[in-house]
Each structure stands twice: as C-alpha cells, then as structure tokens.
Amino acid sequence: MARTSGKAKTRKAVAKRFKVTGSGKILRRKQGKRHILTKKSRKRKRSLGKAVLADETNLKAIRENLPFGKR
C-alpha cells in the first residue's frame, strides 16, 4: 500500500521484526526456532538464534515501512 501524501508513519509490525544498525543495514531474525525443536541439532538451534542481514530484494519494502530508520 503506497502512501502518496500526509505524515509518514512507522508500520509497527515491521518495526518489531527488523532492526536498523548504525550504518543503515537491516537485521532480521531467522525463522524456525519456535517449535519442533527436538529434531534439530544443538548447532542448528544456536545458528537459528542469531540475527542476519535482510536480503537486498526486500530492503526497499522494509525501508518504506520504516520511514524514520537510518537510510
């Protein structure tokens, strides 16, 4: 949904899922650490707990929904 005019508002759902670093990169959490953990190895579960950079194909959409994040 594109905003054409008016005050830019932060999408709270997006703000809860992504973090903007000091240099302007966007971090996201990995999926897969909510349930069905018994069949996953310790190493895999540790890896799932770490944040990673969001893919550049999604950056434009994320930044549109976080207007006050660093560019």
Side-chain angles (χ1 to χ4, degrees):
M1 208 160 84
R3 289 187 207 91
T4 54
S5 64
K7 186 175 180 180
K9 289 189 171 182
T10 298
R11 291 287 174 108
K12 295 313 227 174
V14 177
K16 290 169 188 173
R17 286 168 174 81
F18 299 96
K19 179 189 174 195
V20 182
T21 64
S23 60
K25 295 176 183 172
I26 296 177
L27 294 175
R28 66 166 177 86
R29 303 302 292 182
K30 291 184 182 176
Q31 59 94 35
K33 203 180 175 197
R34 290 285 180 172
H35 62 114
I36 315 176
L37 298 173
T38 53
K39 62 175 78 169
K40 296 171 188 167
S41 68
R42 277 185 232 134
K43 181 179 178 181
R44 184 171 162 198
K45 286 185 275 193
R46 260 197 322 274
S47 172
L48 289 172
K50 297 174 184 170
V52 291
L53 292 174
D55 192 72
E56 60 182 72
T57 56
N58 301 319
L59 290 182
K60 184 176 179 243
I62 295 168
R63 287 209 168 102
E64 282 176 1
N65 290 309
L66 294 174
F68 300 105
K70 188 171 182 175
R71 296 281 160 167

